Amino acid sequence: MSSDVYDLTIIGAGPSGLFATFYAGLRQMKTKLIDALEQPGGQVAVLYPEKYIYDVPGYSKILAKELVKGLVEQAFQYKPTVVLGERVTSLRKNDGVFELVTDRGTKHLSKAVLVAAGVGAFSPNKLEAQGAADYEGKGVYYFVKDKSIFKDKSLLIVGGGDSAVDWALNIKDTAKKITLVHRRDVFRAHEGSVAELMKSNVEVKLFYEVKSVSGDGAKVTQAVIFDNRSKAETTLDVDAILVNIGFRADLGPIKDWGLQIDGREIRANGRMETNIPGVYVAGDIAGPHDGVKLNLIATGYAQAALAVNVAKAFVDPNSKIFPGHSSEMKK
Ligand SMILES: Cc1cc2nc3c(=O)[nH]c(=O)nc-3n(C[C@H](O)[C@H](O)[C@H](O)COP(=O)(O)OP(=O)(O)OC[C@H]3O[C@@H](n4cnc5c(N)ncnc54)[C@H](O)[C@@H]3O)c2cc1C
């Protein structure tokens, strides 16, 4: 139990939650940021870290992972409390203070809450091949935090979407050898990336799936793949397997917090207030009443700024909503 009462607790460290964290710091709010993932950045960090983004204000183009780096640096300058790897499972009010409980059983107390949970908590679709679960973290990976772990390794990549293809292209000069297996002959990835993949040194095996994964107990050493048309099997010597077969995003417990929800959106007014006083929303999860729904980073930024400044006046009624111009603030 964390007994400190925070001014604002932000659920979700995607672009909206990170920018909100910065703004709350600027407004001198005692701020906590919680995310179910082990890393900040939300969809940008998990789904397309190696892609360029062209519609973020201030950049004609920026690599997604560089944007996350900048957002984190900006957000963390006011030293918020950051809790990663915990999914908020319940939210209720007790004696005027919100109590949030996570899947680790931790309680977090806060005067106001901003839900910036995007499309919900992510979990990667798991490889169902025999032995894959035994080698998770021992050569079988679902995320790439640092591609240098594949240096001079024989890598098997599983999948045909943007993540699989982008990682194959990104790691091809780091790994000793890459084999990419995809169960169909049609890719979901961007056409240009697929064309580049086909010209590269990556061995692409279409209509192939993974049957089993094995190793010496401590690390993976082999994978058996099979042609799903002829059922012919091939054994590959591998040092690592990167599985990119999609993610599931699930609003999950958020649906039970008493918020007004329509589909995947939490209803809010133009001040980003929900039906529960003191609970605000921003980003992809927000469904502003009568607003146009645009699930974009820029929209999330604006909603985050609105939500935090309205929350500031809720927590401290002597404060104005308008924060003043940051360019005129002394650092
Ligand atoms: C492939 C792809 C390309 C894109 N390209 C662009 C682009 O070029 N330009 C653009 O503007 N937008 C783009 N987008 C959309 C953009 O990424 C989203 O609009 C943006 O990420 C939304 O940010 P967010 O902070 O609202 O939510 P998210 O990025 O979804 O972050 C939400 C965070 O909340 C966490 N969370 C959820 N539930 C809980 C819980 N109960 N407890 C704790 N944590 C929780 C999640 O783990 C996640 O980290 C793209 C999206 C995709 C999928």
Side-chain angles (χ1 to χ4, degrees), residues 300-319:
Y301 289 168
Q303 293 172 342
L306 276 171
V308 170
N309 285 298
V310 173
K312 171 70 181 177
F314 172 83
V315 169
D316 174 5
N318 294 321
S319 289

Side-chain angles (χ1 to χ4, degrees), residues 93-105:
K93 206 164 188 178
N94 252 343
D95 292 333
V97 173
F98 289 102
E99 187 183 282
L100 294 82
V101 180
T102 71
D103 54 0
R104 297 217 179 149

Side-chain angles (χ1 to χ4, degrees), residues 12 14-16 35-36 42-43 48 53 55 88 116-118 120-121 283-284 295-297:
S16 312
D35 200 293
Q43 293 173 55
Y48 57 107
I53 308 174
D55 56 350
V88 180
D284 279 11
N295 286 348
L296 290 173
I297 295 164

